[in-house]
Amino acid sequence: MANYFVGDIQGCFDELQLVLGKVDFNPSTDCLWCVGDLIARGNKSLQTLQYIKRLSGSAKVALGNHDLHLLAVHGKLKRANPNDNLSTLLASPMLDQLVDWLRLQPLYHAYPEQRILMTHAGVPPSWDLSTLKEQADNVSQALQQPDYLTALIAKMYGNSNDSWHDNLSVTEKNIYTINALTRMRYLYPDGRLDFDCKQPIAQCEQPLLSPWFEHDSLLHPTHTLVFGHWAAIMGQTHSASLKALDTGCCWGEHLTLWHLESDQKITQAKLNQA
C-alpha cells in the first residue's frame, strides 16, 4: 500500500490523471490524500469531484475554501466567482449528490501511525491536537445539519473572526476554525490571522507579518503538517516536516504529489489547453 498526498487540484483533472499514472496509482491498494480545493479554476471540476467521490475509501479529502464556497453557491447564498470554471459542474444533474458528499468531508485528516496531520491551509500554532480535532469535528457536525446554510455557510464570510479565544461563542469558534484551516497564510505576532497578503514570503511588505508555520507551534515539528492553499510559496517551507503541496497547477505551474513511503515529490506540468 502506498500513500500519496496531492496539492490543490482546482479542477485540473487531466493533470491529476497524468501524475497518478506516473506512480501507477491503484485504488484497490493505495490511498490518495487530497489537501482540498478540489474545484474551481481548472476546466474539469465536475470530473474531479466525480473521480474523487468514486475512489470512496481510497481517498481522504480535507475541505478547502473553494469547496466550502461551492456549498454557498449551490445554496444560492453567493454567486460563482467569474474567474472560476464551474458552469459545467453547476449545470450537472449530479450536483446535489456531489454537494451532499462534500458536506461529509472533514476539515482535517490524521495519520496517527506516521504523526501526519493534513488540512487545507495549515494549523494555528497555538492549537494542540485535541483542539484541532474538537474544532474541526464541530464544523463537520454543523455542515451535516439541515440548517447548515443559514447556521454556518452564510456566516463564514468576512474577516472579523481572526483570533482564537476560549470565550468565543460556538458560531465564532466555527468561523475561526474555517478561517484558520482553509484561509490562513500570514499571522501577526500575536497570532491574529491576516486575510490580505498572499505574496511570496520574500515579497511581503508588511514587517509585522510572518508565515503561520514560522511561529512557535504546539504540533510542529513533532508532527508532519501537510497543507496546500498557498501557491505563491511553491512548496518552499525550509522544513522537512512541513509539506506544502499547492504548486499552482491552475495558474500554469504544476501539480505536486508527495509519496509518503519514499518521501519523494512527483510533479505534472500544467497542460496547454485551448
Side-chain angles (χ1 to χ4, degrees):
M1 175 180 175
N3 291 277
Y4 299 100
F5 293 73
V6 66
D8 302 34
I9 302 168
Q10 288 255 6
C12 296
F13 179 70
D14 293 337
E15 291 80 2
L16 174 65
Q17 294 300 296
L18 287 171
V19 77
L20 292 178
K22 290 181 178 181
V23 298
D24 294 323
F25 176 73
N26 183 350
S28 66
T29 57
D30 302 333
C31 186
L32 181 65
W33 303 67
C34 305
V35 301
D37 278 4
L38 303 179
I39 63 164
R41 300 301 173 96
N43 63 357
K44 292 188 177 180
S45 290
L46 172 61
Q47 293 93 324
T48 300
L49 287 183
Q50 289 174 323
Y51 174 73
I52 301 297
K53 182 175 181 291
R54 283 198 306 270
L55 288 178
S56 186
S58 297
K60 299 183 184 296
V61 174
L63 292 174
N65 52 300
H66 282 285
D67 308 316
L68 290 171
H69 183 63
L70 176 64
L71 304 184
V73 173
H74 175 258
K76 311 300 182 186
L77 298 175
K78 295 286 183 178
R79 294 182 179 179
N81 187 326
N83 294 322
D84 291 339
N85 289 300
L86 296 179
S87 56
T88 302
L89 172 60
L90 295 176
S92 170
M94 294 291 296
L95 180 61
D96 289 350
Q97 295 179 40
L98 293 170
V99 165
D100 287 343
W101 171 77
L102 276 177
R103 289 172 55 201
L104 298 175
Q105 307 313 307
L107 291 186
Y108 90 107
H109 274 286
Y111 193 165
E113 296 83 355
Q114 297 290 335
R115 299 182 70 82
I116 292 174
L117 300 172
M118 180 182 74
T119 63
H120 179 58
V123 180
S126 65
W127 281 12
D128 57 18
L129 185 57
S130 63
T131 304
L132 171 62
K133 176 176 173 52
E134 179 180 6
Q135 299 310 318
D137 287 350
N138 286 344
V139 172
S140 293
Q141 292 171 15
L143 283 173
Q144 295 170 33
Q145 300 304 309
D147 65 346
Y148 77 100
L149 286 171
T150 56
L152 182 65
I153 299 299
K155 298 178 180 179
M156 73 178 184
Y157 291 90
N159 299 333
S160 58
N161 291 100
D162 62 356
S163 301
W164 176 254
H165 303 288
D166 287 336
N167 61 351
L168 295 174
S169 69
V170 171
T171 297
E172 288 171 336
K173 287 183 176 181
N174 284 345
I175 302 308
Y176 174 83
T177 298
I178 289 173
N179 285 341
L181 300 188
T182 73
R183 299 177 62 195
M184 181 170 62
R185 292 186 180 95
Y186 287 102
L187 301 179
Y188 288 95
D190 61 2
R192 284 182 297 121
L193 302 168
D194 170 75
F195 298 106
D196 296 321
C197 187
K198 302 179 182 180
Q199 298 300 315
I201 298 170
Q203 297 178 22
C204 180
E205 298 179 349
Q206 301 186 49
L208 291 179
L209 297 180
S210 56
W212 65 267
F213 49 77
E214 292 186 358
H215 288 240
D216 290 338
S217 170
L218 294 179
L219 286 174
H220 174 259
T222 59
H223 290 73
T224 295
L225 304 184
V226 182
F227 62 99
H229 184 59
W230 200 350
I233 65 174
M234 290 299 291
Q236 300 302 309
T237 63
H238 308 295
S239 172
S241 54
L242 291 167
K243 303 298 183 182
L245 299 182
D246 183 4
T247 47
C249 186
C250 68
W251 303 109
E253 294 292 341
H254 55 270
L255 190 65
T256 293
L257 198 69
W258 173 51
H259 179 212
L260 168 62
E261 285 73 20
S262 66
D263 193 21
Q264 293 183 336
K265 289 182 177 179
I266 302 94
T267 63
Q268 171 59 49
K270 174 67 175 176
L271 299 175
N272 292 321
Q273 296 172 331

XYZ file of all heavy atoms in Angstrom, residues 193-256:
503
model
N -4.927 36.269 12.455
C -4.869 35.936 11.038
C -4.869 37.197 10.194
O -5.608 38.146 10.462
C -6.081 35.084 10.639
C -6.298 33.758 11.360
C -7.682 33.217 11.038
C -5.228 32.755 10.975
N -4.045 37.206 9.167
C -4.121 38.245 8.138
C -4.784 37.637 6.914
O -4.414 36.546 6.487
C -2.725 38.751 7.768
C -2.769 39.657 6.539
O -3.209 40.809 6.673
O -2.399 39.176 5.445
N -5.745 38.347 6.343
C -6.500 37.808 5.216
C -6.139 38.473 3.883
O -6.725 38.141 2.860
C -8.001 37.979 5.456
C -8.518 37.237 6.656
C -8.844 37.910 7.818
C -8.669 35.858 6.631
C -9.323 37.236 8.926
C -9.139 35.175 7.740
C -9.471 35.861 8.890
N -5.194 39.386 3.892
C -4.950 40.193 2.693
C -3.705 39.794 1.924
O -3.726 39.715 0.698
C -4.859 41.676 3.074
C -6.164 42.210 3.644
O -7.230 41.812 3.125
O -6.118 42.999 4.608
N -2.608 39.558 2.616
C -1.348 39.307 1.922
C -1.284 37.869 1.423
O -1.429 36.922 2.196
C -0.166 39.594 2.843
S 1.426 39.484 1.987
N -1.063 37.724 0.133
C -0.940 36.402 -0.483
C 0.402 36.236 -1.189
O 0.623 35.255 -1.892
C -2.076 36.187 -1.486
C -3.470 36.298 -0.884
C -4.538 36.093 -1.935
C -5.940 36.247 -1.343
N -6.997 36.059 -2.362
N 1.289 37.193 -0.994
C 2.549 37.224 -1.720
C 3.526 36.158 -1.237
O 3.412 35.640 -0.121
C 3.194 38.599 -1.552
C 2.380 39.755 -2.100
C 2.121 39.604 -3.586
O 3.038 39.273 -4.345
N 0.893 39.839 -4.011
N 4.529 35.839 -2.072
C 5.624 35.002 -1.567
C 6.261 35.667 -0.359
O 6.207 36.892 -0.193
C 6.585 34.953 -2.761
C 5.755 35.262 -3.961
C 4.693 36.203 -3.485
N 6.890 34.876 0.468
C 7.410 35.392 1.733
C 8.391 36.536 1.523
O 8.344 37.553 2.224
C 8.061 34.240 2.516
C 7.001 33.175 2.842
C 8.716 34.747 3.796
C 7.558 31.884 3.397
N 9.267 36.416 0.541
C 10.272 37.454 0.304
C 9.664 38.750 -0.210
O 10.299 39.805 -0.147
C 11.326 36.949 -0.678
N 8.434 38.681 -0.704
C 7.797 39.877 -1.278
C 6.762 40.508 -0.359
O 6.161 41.524 -0.716
C 7.138 39.514 -2.610
C 8.127 39.051 -3.669
C 7.433 38.655 -4.961
O 6.313 39.071 -5.256
N 8.098 37.814 -5.751
N 6.559 39.947 0.805
C 5.593 40.526 1.735
C 6.164 41.816 2.308
O 7.231 41.820 2.929
C 5.279 39.540 2.852
S 4.092 40.181 4.067
N 5.460 42.911 2.116
C 5.961 44.225 2.506
C 5.459 44.674 3.873
O 5.712 45.805 4.280
C 5.568 45.254 1.443
C 6.174 44.968 0.072
C 5.765 45.973 -0.974
O 4.841 46.775 -0.691
O 6.366 45.966 -2.068
N 4.761 43.811 4.570
C 4.272 44.160 5.899
C 5.181 43.519 6.950
O 5.144 42.303 7.153
C 2.839 43.690 6.079
C 1.870 44.297 5.061
C 0.429 43.926 5.345
O -0.046 44.053 6.468
N -0.266 43.453 4.311
N 5.998 44.309 7.624
C 7.021 43.753 8.526
C 6.468 42.986 9.719
O 7.176 42.148 10.298
C 7.803 44.994 8.982
C 6.866 46.143 8.776
C 6.053 45.789 7.567
N 5.218 43.240 10.083
C 4.650 42.539 11.233
C 4.176 41.129 10.893
O 3.921 40.332 11.789
C 3.475 43.335 11.817
C 3.817 44.648 12.521
C 2.540 45.324 13.020
C 4.776 44.408 13.680
N 4.064 40.833 9.621
C 3.519 39.540 9.210
C 4.619 38.507 9.010
O 5.703 38.819 8.513
C 2.710 39.680 7.926
C 1.467 40.565 7.973
C 0.781 40.578 6.615
C 0.510 40.088 9.052
N 4.306 37.271 9.360
C 5.193 36.151 9.080
C 4.334 34.928 8.796
O 3.191 34.839 9.260
C 6.141 35.877 10.250
O 5.427 35.664 11.442
N 4.844 33.971 8.038
C 4.064 32.770 7.720
C 3.648 32.034 8.991
O 4.399 31.985 9.966
C 5.035 31.927 6.891
C 6.014 32.905 6.339
C 6.159 33.962 7.381
N 2.468 31.454 8.946
C 1.960 30.761 10.132
C 2.910 29.681 10.616
O 3.037 29.439 11.818
C 0.577 30.168 9.853
C 0.563 29.086 8.803
C 0.340 29.245 7.463
C 0.807 27.688 9.017
N 0.434 28.025 6.821
C 0.712 27.055 7.754
C 1.087 26.911 10.135
C 0.889 25.691 7.585
C 1.271 25.539 9.976
C 1.166 24.942 8.706
N 3.621 29.044 9.680
C 4.468 27.924 10.062
C 5.820 28.366 10.620
O 6.635 27.531 11.017
C 4.658 26.942 8.894
C 5.060 27.567 7.592
C 6.356 27.976 7.358
C 4.128 27.738 6.582
C 6.731 28.541 6.148
C 4.482 28.303 5.364
C 5.786 28.703 5.142
N 6.079 29.662 10.674
C 7.292 30.156 11.317
C 7.059 30.543 12.771
O 7.996 30.896 13.484
C 7.861 31.327 10.525
C 8.408 30.925 9.161
C 9.100 32.054 8.429
O 9.126 33.185 8.972
O 9.609 31.816 7.317
N 5.813 30.491 13.229
C 5.506 30.749 14.633
C 5.730 29.494 15.458
O 5.611 28.371 14.958
C 4.044 31.202 14.773
C 3.782 32.589 14.269
N 3.304 33.593 15.066
C 3.944 33.139 13.035
C 3.168 34.697 14.360
N 3.551 34.450 13.127
N 6.075 29.685 16.726
C 6.235 28.534 17.622
C 4.932 27.745 17.670
O 3.857 28.307 17.896
C 6.609 29.008 19.027
C 8.016 29.577 19.092
O 8.823 29.248 18.209
O 8.294 30.352 20.029
N 5.022 26.450 17.457
C 3.836 25.623 17.289
C 3.799 24.493 18.307
O 4.836 23.925 18.668
C 3.813 25.028 15.875
O 2.808 24.056 15.741
N 2.578 24.147 18.741
C 2.399 23.018 19.639
C 2.410 21.680 18.900
O 2.539 20.630 19.531
C 1.076 23.164 20.404
C 0.989 24.345 21.377
C -0.378 24.386 22.050
C 2.089 24.270 22.427
N 2.269 21.721 17.582
C 2.179 20.482 16.811
C 3.364 20.240 15.883
O 3.616 19.108 15.475
C 0.877 20.469 15.992
C -0.393 20.234 16.796
C -1.624 20.393 15.915
C -0.373 18.852 17.437
N 4.036 21.289 15.519
C 5.187 21.140 14.624
C 6.437 21.589 15.381
O 6.405 22.620 16.049
C 4.995 22.006 13.367
C 6.191 22.013 12.474
N 7.097 23.053 12.440
C 6.641 21.082 11.604
C 8.052 22.768 11.580
N 7.803 21.591 11.062
N 7.518 20.783 15.328
C 7.804 19.688 14.395
C 7.541 18.283 14.937
O 8.055 17.316 14.350
C 9.284 19.883 14.119
C 9.834 20.356 15.444
C 8.747 21.209 16.046
N 6.785 18.121 16.018
C 6.503 16.758 16.480
C 5.611 16.006 15.505
O 5.584 14.773 15.506
C 5.835 16.779 17.862
O 4.607 17.517 17.791
C 6.747 17.438 18.893
N 4.853 16.746 14.685
C 4.030 16.157 13.633
C 4.449 16.729 12.274
O 4.927 17.863 12.191
C 2.551 16.475 13.850
C 1.946 15.773 15.022
N 2.210 16.119 16.325
C 1.075 14.719 15.080
C 1.537 15.334 17.144
N 0.850 14.475 16.421
N 4.244 15.944 11.243
C 4.381 16.450 9.880
C 3.050 17.071 9.482
O 2.004 16.420 9.568
C 4.745 15.328 8.901
O 6.042 14.821 9.232
C 4.756 15.842 7.464
N 3.089 18.336 9.074
C 1.883 19.045 8.667
C 1.853 19.127 7.146
O 2.785 19.634 6.521
C 1.847 20.448 9.277
C 1.966 20.527 10.807
C 1.804 21.978 11.281
C 0.955 19.617 11.488
N 0.792 18.609 6.568
C 0.609 18.606 5.110
C -0.502 19.587 4.779
O -1.587 19.524 5.363
C 0.245 17.201 4.601
C 0.110 17.206 3.086
C 1.292 16.186 5.046
N -0.246 20.493 3.830
C -1.228 21.517 3.505
C -1.034 21.997 2.072
O -0.072 21.635 1.393
C -1.118 22.703 4.478
C 0.212 23.421 4.445
C 0.373 24.595 3.726
C 1.309 22.916 5.143
C 1.598 25.256 3.689
C 2.533 23.571 5.121
C 2.679 24.746 4.387
N -1.978 22.810 1.616
C -1.910 23.406 0.287
C -2.185 24.892 0.384
O -1.558 25.602 1.150
N -3.103 25.381 -0.445
C -3.678 26.725 -0.344
C -2.768 27.865 -0.771
O -3.252 28.862 -1.293
C -4.159 26.973 1.093
C -4.848 28.291 1.297
N -5.991 28.638 0.595
C -4.565 29.350 2.101
C -6.382 29.853 0.973
N -5.531 30.308 1.876
N -1.464 27.744 -0.587
C -0.564 28.880 -0.760
C 0.375 28.638 -1.936
O 1.527 28.293 -1.777
C 0.227 29.103 0.522
C 0.820 30.478 0.665
C 0.884 31.458 -0.274
C 1.460 31.005 1.839
N 1.508 32.570 0.229
C 1.861 32.316 1.534
C 1.709 30.491 3.097
C 2.523 33.128 2.457
C 2.356 31.291 4.023
C 2.758 32.592 3.704
N -0.150 28.835 -3.137
C 0.640 28.549 -4.339
C 1.859 29.442 -4.456
O 2.870 29.053 -5.045
C -0.241 28.678 -5.581
N 1.783 30.647 -3.891
C 2.864 31.619 -4.073
C 4.189 31.142 -3.476
O 5.259 31.572 -3.936
C 2.471 32.961 -3.453
N 4.145 30.262 -2.477
C 5.413 29.803 -1.900
C 5.959 28.580 -2.636
O 7.076 28.129 -2.345
C 5.293 29.514 -0.390
C 4.333 28.344 -0.120
C 4.847 30.766 0.357
C 4.298 27.924 1.357
N 5.194 28.045 -3.560
C 5.633 26.956 -4.436
C 6.309 25.811 -3.665
O 7.345 25.286 -4.063
C 6.560 27.493 -5.519
C 5.852 28.360 -6.562
S 4.560 27.467 -7.471
C 5.564 26.335 -8.443
N 5.694 25.441 -2.557
C 6.160 24.284 -1.812
C 7.360 24.510 -0.924
O 7.846 23.566 -0.294
N 7.845 25.753 -0.822
C 9.059 26.023 -0.062
C 8.731 26.405 1.378
O 8.133 27.448 1.630
C 9.861 27.142 -0.725
C 10.284 26.834 -2.146
C 11.111 25.565 -2.243
O 12.098 25.400 -1.515
N 10.716 24.667 -3.132
N 9.107 25.555 2.317
C 8.897 25.838 3.737
C 10.184 25.744 4.548
O 10.198 26.128 5.708
C 7.886 24.850 4.342
O 8.425 23.520 4.254
C 6.548 24.922 3.614
N 11.236 25.195 3.971
C 12.530 25.038 4.634
C 12.431 24.130 5.859
O 13.171 24.297 6.825
C 13.120 26.396 5.015
C 13.180 27.361 3.863
N 13.982 27.149 2.763
C 12.505 28.524 3.634
C 13.821 28.142 1.898
N 12.925 28.973 2.398
N 11.500 23.190 5.810
C 11.375 22.198 6.873
C 10.893 20.893 6.274
O 9.913 20.875 5.531
C 10.391 22.668 7.951
O 10.130 21.626 8.879
N 11.559 19.806 6.618
C 11.191 18.505 6.075
C 9.849 18.027 6.609
O 9.215 17.163 6.004
C 12.272 17.485 6.403
N 9.399 18.585 7.735
C 8.128 18.153 8.313
C 6.991 19.115 8.022
O 5.944 19.070 8.658
C 8.279 17.962 9.827
O 8.799 19.121 10.436
N 7.195 19.990 7.062
C 6.133 20.849 6.536
C 6.020 20.578 5.048
O 6.923 20.918 4.281
C 6.446 22.334 6.779
C 6.396 22.826 8.221
C 7.044 24.210 8.317
C 4.962 22.888 8.732
N 4.937 19.945 4.628
C 4.764 19.566 3.230
C 3.733 20.494 2.593
O 2.520 20.304 2.730
C 4.309 18.110 3.125
C 5.252 17.109 3.784
C 6.628 17.100 3.140
C 7.516 16.035 3.781
N 8.883 16.027 3.204
N 4.215 21.534 1.923
C 3.350 22.473 1.217
C 3.187 21.969 -0.215
O 4.160 21.921 -0.972
C 3.951 23.878 1.232
N 1.964 21.610 -0.592
C 1.769 20.894 -1.850
C 1.053 21.687 -2.933
O 0.881 21.187 -4.043
C 1.003 19.587 -1.588
C 1.686 18.590 -0.653
C 0.840 17.324 -0.525
C 3.094 18.247 -1.134
N 0.608 22.906 -2.646
C -0.014 23.712 -3.695
C 1.092 24.367 -4.512
O 1.777 25.279 -4.035
C -0.921 24.780 -3.095
C -1.656 25.590 -4.169
O -1.512 25.262 -5.371
O -2.375 26.536 -3.809
N 1.267 23.887 -5.728
C 2.301 24.443 -6.601
C 1.692 25.039 -7.876
O 2.299 25.031 -8.934
C 3.366 23.382 -6.938
O 2.715 22.154 -7.314
C 4.248 23.110 -5.726
N 0.465 25.550 -7.744
C -0.104 26.425 -8.759
C -0.415 25.813 -10.100
O -0.258 26.472 -11.128
N -0.900 24.578 -10.119
C -1.233 23.975 -11.419
C -2.255 24.822 -12.165
O -2.126 25.052 -13.366
C -1.749 22.555 -11.214
S -2.035 21.646 -12.761
N -3.269 25.295 -11.454
C -4.318 26.060 -12.129
C -3.817 27.412 -12.617
O -4.493 28.082 -13.416
C -5.522 26.242 -11.208
S -5.234 27.302 -9.775
N -2.643 27.829 -12.157
C -2.053 29.105 -12.588
C -0.986 28.896 -13.657
O -0.225 29.814 -13.970
C -1.444 29.832 -11.391
C -2.413 30.083 -10.281
C -2.455 29.475 -9.056
C -3.512 31.004 -10.293
N -3.495 29.951 -8.313
C -4.161 30.892 -9.036
C -4.014 31.912 -11.232
C -5.284 31.644 -8.707
C -5.132 32.663 -10.896
C -5.750 32.526 -9.653
N -0.890 27.678 -14.177
C 0.077 27.420 -15.236
C 1.365 26.781 -14.761
O 2.297 26.604 -15.551
N 1.441 26.413 -13.488
C 2.659 25.780 -12.964
C 2.510 24.257 -13.002
O 2.402 23.713 -14.075
C 2.937 26.296 -11.545
C 3.284 27.778 -11.497
C 4.617 28.102 -12.140
O 5.455 27.185 -12.314
O 4.836 29.285 -12.482
N 2.457 23.603 -11.869
C 2.371 22.146 -11.897
C 1.628 21.609 -10.686
O 1.454 22.298 -9.683
C 3.764 21.514 -11.978
C 4.705 21.941 -10.889
N 5.537 23.039 -11.007
C 4.939 21.428 -9.651
C 6.244 23.174 -9.900
N 5.898 22.205 -9.058
N 1.179 20.358 -10.817
C 0.513 19.646 -9.740
C 1.555 18.781 -9.036
O 2.377 18.136 -9.691
C -0.607 18.771 -10.301
C -1.584 18.125 -9.308
C -2.400 19.189 -8.589
C -2.509 17.155 -10.039
N 1.502 18.774 -7.700
C 2.501 18.036 -6.928
C 1.860 16.907 -6.131
O 0.839 17.090 -5.472
C 3.246 18.976 -5.962
O 4.035 19.901 -6.719
C 4.171 18.197 -5.025
